[in-house]
Amino acid sequence: GESVGLHLPTLSVQEGDNSIINCAYSNSASDYFIWYKQESGKGPQFIIDIRSNMDKRQGQRVTVLLNKTVKHLSLQIAATQPGDSAVYFCAEIQNTGTASKLTFGTGTRLQVTL
Amino acid sequence: GAVVSQHPSRVICKSGTSVKIECRSLDFQATTMFWYRQFPKQSLMLMATSNEGSKATYEQGVEKDKFLINHASLTLSTLTVTSAHPEDSSFYICSARTAADTQYFGPGTRLTVL
């Protein structure tokens, strides 16, 4: 049968407003972070990344902020559109020497209302 | 960006049968591919790392005899779910790593075991 697990937290935002999605990561040794967008029934899509020696990076309509002191990552989406509705995952990457290992966070569902 | 495909996209099988899922990197060579599993409303969990020409590395708690991985070429990895049971029903996603250490994800395979 289906496993019972945590339900994804949901963020509901009106079209045109800005969205802020937060993520807490676990490993202070992680040196690279990525935000992914996953639409229903599809694989994750790369949105933006940031290295641990940076605290902010901007893309087109998206900004990622990294606070290493509290191990917190956020994704800001400007002027949110209906097409932004999806589940967003942060992922931390640890370089283990032989290969980098990617660990996903729990995810947040973004619902854009008209 | 790089393209990763999976086949099939959906599969329904009877309990006790085996199912093979293919993951292909279409426009680049990948010495390393990864297999993830995702239950509904949950995050992606790494199952194993597939290395071309050598044995896969499985994460703790993943049965290697249950989930057979073969990485026979630089563009193809296969995951075989042996003697599938209803609890194996899940969304299986692969990713392929480029030489620049970037992971690109496939579209996923929805497995339903009756």
Side-chain angles (χ1 to χ4, degrees):
Chain A
E2 184 177 333
S3 297
V4 176
L6 296 173
H7 286 272
L8 292 170
T10 299
L11 174 66
S12 190
V13 173
Q14 208 157 23
E15 183 181 5
D17 287 352
N18 297 335
S19 303
I20 299 176
I21 300 171
N22 297 304
C23 173
Y25 64 92
S26 57
N27 193 334
S28 55
S30 295
D31 48 18
Y32 182 47
F33 304 87
I34 303 176
W35 278 100
Y36 288 95
K37 173 185 181 182
Q38 186 181 28
E39 295 176 84
S40 181
K42 297 183 179 179
Q45 287 177 275
F46 173 94
I47 301 173
I48 192 167
D49 59 0
I50 189 167
R51 298 218 169 261
S52 60
N53 61 353
M54 304 169 68
D55 51 24
K56 181 178 179 178
R57 188 152 189 238
Q58 284 185 290
Q60 189 178 17
R61 276 202 312 120
V62 294
T63 301
V64 55
L65 299 178
L66 174 63
N67 185 331
K68 294 183 288 293
T69 304
V70 295
K71 292 191 283 187
H72 182 269
L73 203 61
S74 70
L75 176 70
Q76 300 177 2
I77 304 173
T80 312
Q81 302 168 0
D84 295 327
S85 294
V87 177
Y88 290 80
F89 293 98
C90 68
E92 57 183 306
I93 289 140
Q94 298 145 39
N95 194 326
T96 62
T98 53
S100 56
K101 183 174 177 178
L102 193 155
T103 304
F104 282 87
T106 53
T108 297
R109 179 177 303 281
L110 177 64
Q111 287 181 341
V112 182
T113 57
L114 301 176
Chain B
V3 178
V4 175
S5 71
Q6 281 184 241
H7 179 80
S9 57
R10 286 178 175 270
V11 56
I12 301 172
C13 70
K14 291 183 180 178
S15 187
T17 61
S18 294
V19 175
K20 181 187 281 188
I21 303 169
E22 293 185 348
C23 177
R24 293 182 186 273
S25 55
L26 298 185
D27 50 1
F28 67 100
Q29 293 184 329
T31 55
T32 305
M33 292 183 174
F34 302 87
W35 286 97
Y36 295 83
R37 183 174 181 175
Q38 186 178 31
F39 288 111
K41 299 183 180 180
Q42 293 190 31
S43 188
L44 285 77
M45 297 298 295
L46 179 65
M47 297 174 66
T49 302
S50 172
N51 301 298
E52 188 267 336
S54 64
K55 289 182 179 179
T57 305
Y58 290 81
E59 294 299 301
Q60 193 171 14
V62 178
E63 300 174 58
K64 60 181 180 182
D65 295 330
K66 171 79 173 173
F67 299 100
L68 300 178
I69 291 171
N70 185 282
H71 195 152
S73 77
L74 288 171
T75 58
L76 173 65
S77 175
T78 60
L79 169 69
T80 301
V81 182
T82 62
S83 187
H85 290 284
E87 57 266 30
D88 298 323
S89 298
S90 190
F91 195 49
Y92 292 87
I93 304 171
C94 74
S95 70
R97 190 170 69 191
T98 68
D101 204 22
T102 300
Q103 283 190 43
Y104 290 92
F105 287 83
T109 296
R110 172 79 56 198
L111 170 63
T112 303
V113 185
L114 302 176

